Amino acid sequence: MKSIKTIAKEYALTTRTLRYYEELGILKPTRPHNGMRHYSKREEAKIKLIIRGKKYGFSMEEIKEMILLFDLDRTGIKQLERTIEYGQQKLREIDQKIQELYEIRQDIERTEAIFREKLILLLEDQS
């Protein structure tokens, strides 16, 4: 069991962020008689999943759903199925963004070529 300060330091999070995850119902630290939050290995695993989910661009609602599905189905099947669904959706979004960026790149390259031609003509006119 680790304290909120220890967890916050280990994962470069603020204690406020950890309390927010608790408010959302994702984390459920224990509170012994002194009222201090303590995080089990299970809660720590959830924190790692939250961090990974945020890194991959998932919303907190999506992260919450994926994490809490394990509580509903201890086999982990539903959690894995939903995580795969969200992952496939995220990959489609990434592919779309890549395509958009590629099109922007092509447009910039075309515009740059036109500007280079204009610059060459202007420089020739000055000579």
Side-chain angles (χ1 to χ4, degrees):
M1 298 290 260
K2 295 180 182 177
S3 72
I4 191 169
K5 287 182 183 181
T6 302
I7 291 289
K9 185 176 180 180
E10 284 182 19
Y11 293 97
L13 299 169
T14 63
T15 56
R16 186 173 189 273
T17 297
L18 291 168
R19 287 190 295 272
Y20 172 67
Y21 296 156
E22 185 180 352
E23 285 174 27
L24 291 177
I26 301 172
L27 296 179
K28 295 176 183 131
T30 58
R31 289 184 182 218
H33 63 283
N34 64 6
M36 302 288 288
R37 290 172 174 85
H38 287 91
Y39 296 84
S40 64
K41 294 277 186 197
R42 185 167 186 256
E43 296 306 302
E44 201 169 344
K46 289 180 183 180
I47 292 166
K48 290 176 186 176
L49 291 172
I50 293 168
I51 292 168
R52 183 182 302 148
K54 289 182 68 166
K55 176 182 174 185
Y56 293 163
F58 292 107
S59 71
M60 285 307 297
E61 213 36 58
E62 291 167 331
I63 293 168
K64 178 181 178 180
E65 181 183 354
M66 288 184 280
I67 290 173
L68 296 183
L69 272 174
F70 186 74
D71 292 338
L72 299 175
D73 172 22
R74 291 295 193 173
T75 67
I77 293 170
K78 289 188 187 313
Q79 183 185 40
L80 289 172
E81 287 173 341
R82 190 63 177 136
T83 301
I84 290 167
E85 269 181 53
Y86 277 138
Q88 290 172 340
Q89 178 183 341
K90 191 58 66 180
L91 288 172
R92 286 189 295 274
E93 290 172 16
I94 290 168
D95 287 342
Q96 182 179 352
K97 287 179 185 177
I98 289 170
Q99 182 60 38
E100 289 170 6
L101 288 171
Y102 180 72
E103 290 170 6
I104 291 169
R105 179 184 177 88
Q106 287 180 318
D107 191 36
I108 290 171
E109 287 172 344
R110 283 190 295 271
T111 303
E112 180 187 17
I114 292 167
F115 288 174
R116 285 186 185 280
E117 288 176 23
K118 285 184 179 183
L119 179 60
I120 289 169
L121 291 174
L122 288 171
L123 290 172
E124 287 174 355
D125 286 348
Q126 285 186 345
S127 301

